[in-house]
Amino acid sequence: MKMFLTRAVLGLRRLQQWLVAQAAFGILNILKLFPADAAIDFADRAARWVGPKLSRHRLMLTNLRNAYPEKAEAELQEIALSSWGHMGRLAAEYVFLDRLFDFDPERPTRGRIEVSGIPIFLDLRDNPRPFIVFTAHTGSFELLPVAGKSFGLDVMVLFRPPNNPYIANKVFEFRSARMGQLVPSHAGSSFALARRLESGEGVGVLVDQKFGRGLTTTFFGRPVRTNPLLAKLVRQFDAEVYPARCIRLPGNRYRLEIEPKVDVPRNAAGNVDVQATAQLLNDKVESWVREHPEQWLWYHDRWAIKKTLRD
């Protein structure tokens, strides 16, 4: 009887996940029928209407108040609302990634995409060596690996699949066709990245996610747990490290930036300081978020403090 009930619960759970996935796919398929700008703008408005009605909105406001104790409540509310709009845009942009990335090196100012740091892209492509590009959930961050592939820069990208397995499979298929080699984050993913760096090639990682077993660092002056993986890979393979981000611009335009390599902190013996490197990543992401706070995903429980909502 117990086994039957367990199977029944699992079956209902899978059915619920399938229904949610079909609803999400249906909405995205409807968006495909419209021009990209109209669909993305509609998704922004819809998310601004739905988001504040969800329980995650409370967590978002808590995070904003903790990060910006000096800001007035009205300003924090406006940032939260804009952040929901940003998430709506992210969802809609999945449908149009092929059309959105229209950068032409021969006519760099003609499309909706601007690219800053082209010489760095080309240097990494033409002079192979181990390197790590890190970014955060800012702007339309999914465009970064698309840009790398368009420049012929073959980067293995570590990503966290959605919890819904049906959505995860579809997202993996979609990303694989447009972003090069992908590695879902799981227990063995670090070995895949290590093999990649060992062969003298590059990897890309997101560094602004909470990692329960991570190093204690700070973000906006508050304690967080940060994954030490990037720092350990740098220490093992002497890999160069490059920050990269996407910034949303008015009129559904985007600026992609890859910055010069960072000076990785080292201890007195000349070895990579893993703790200091983890903090360096947080400091860089914080500087990006402070510049465009509405373009970060504030609904995640990034801070290592106890809350009633599950991350």
Side-chain angles (χ1 to χ4, degrees):
M1 184 64 178
K2 184 177 180 180
M3 183 177 295
F4 172 79
L5 290 175
T6 300
R7 289 178 177 175
V9 170
L10 291 175
L12 288 173
R13 175 61 175 164
R14 285 194 294 269
L15 176 61
Q16 180 189 42
Q17 291 174 327
W18 183 85
L19 291 172
V20 169
Q22 298 313 305
F25 298 152
I27 293 171
L28 293 178
N29 285 331
I30 291 173
L31 290 177
K32 287 182 183 179
L33 302 176
F34 298 91
D37 288 316
I40 293 170
D41 290 343
F42 170 79
D44 181 305
R45 293 192 297 272
R48 287 170 182 258
W49 182 78
V50 174
K53 298 174 174 59
L54 303 178
S55 60
R56 283 280 170 168
H57 189 65
R58 295 196 299 272
L59 175 58
M60 182 182 286
L61 288 173
T62 297
N63 286 339
L64 282 165
R65 290 172 187 137
N66 288 334
Y68 295 107
E70 76 282 2
K71 289 187 181 295
E73 184 67 17
E75 185 177 0
L76 298 178
Q77 293 280 353
E78 181 57 36
I79 293 173
L81 197 62
S82 296
S83 184
W84 283 116
H86 161 67
M87 283 185 276
R89 289 178 177 273
L90 276 174
E93 286 161 353
Y94 258 104
V95 177
F96 301 104
L97 274 184
D98 290 338
R99 281 180 263 175
L100 293 179
F101 192 83
D102 60 357
F103 181 76
D104 182 355
E106 300 298 323
R107 295 180 295 177
T109 62
R110 297 289 292 272
R112 67 169 78 228
I113 302 289
E114 301 176 6
V115 178
S116 174
I118 293 176
I120 299 174
F121 272 111
L122 299 180
D123 177 56
L124 291 173
R125 182 195 68 187
D126 298 336
N127 300 286
R129 69 269 197 186
F131 68 88
I132 302 173
V133 176
F134 74 88
T135 189
H137 292 87
T138 60
S140 189
F141 57 92
E142 299 281 10
L143 285 170
L144 289 169
V146 177
K149 188 174 182 180
S150 73
F151 277 97
L153 185 60
D154 191 13
V155 177
M156 177 180 284
V157 179
L158 179 69
F159 79 102
R160 179 182 177 182
N163 293 329
N164 186 308
Y166 302 100
I167 294 177
N169 289 337
K170 182 68 70 173
V171 167
F172 183 80
E173 292 175 7
F174 183 88
R175 284 171 161 168
S176 296
R178 295 160 178 81
M179 303 179 184
Q181 298 188 54
L182 300 176
V183 178
S185 58
H186 51 64
S189 58
S190 60
F191 296 106
L193 298 181
R195 287 193 297 270
R196 182 76 172 185
L197 293 170
E198 188 176 27
S199 67
E201 298 175 280
V203 302
V205 295
L206 285 156
V207 297
D208 59 340
Q209 296 169 312
K210 186 172 75 174
F211 187 71
R213 302 184 306 279
L215 300 173
T216 300
T217 54
T218 59
F219 187 56
F220 281 84
R222 301 180 68 86
V224 292
R225 296 284 186 179
T226 299
N227 194 330
L229 175 62
L230 184 148
K232 290 181 176 180
L233 289 173
V234 173
R235 183 177 61 184
Q236 183 176 356
F237 298 102
D238 196 28
E240 297 178 353
V241 180
Y242 294 85
R245 63 169 170 167
C246 174
I247 301 171
R248 294 186 185 279
L249 303 174
N252 292 324
R253 300 183 69 253
Y254 311 85
R255 181 165 67 249
L256 307 180
E257 297 181 348
I258 183 167
E259 302 177 16
K261 68 178 180 181
V262 301
D263 292 325
V264 177
R266 297 180 181 272
N267 58 26
N271 299 317
V272 172
D273 187 327
V274 173
Q275 180 79 34
T277 300
Q279 186 60 56
L280 179 148
L281 301 179
N282 287 352
D283 293 343
K284 171 56 72 172
V285 173
E286 180 178 332
S287 72
W288 290 341
V289 177
R290 286 189 179 277
E291 188 175 352
H292 300 284
E294 75 286 352
Q295 297 188 26
W296 193 60
L297 303 186
W298 288 96
Y299 75 96
H300 281 307
D301 189 3
R302 177 66 180 95
W303 280 265
I305 53 178
K306 186 177 181 181
K307 292 191 176 74
T308 57
L309 292 175
R310 182 174 177 268
D311 184 28

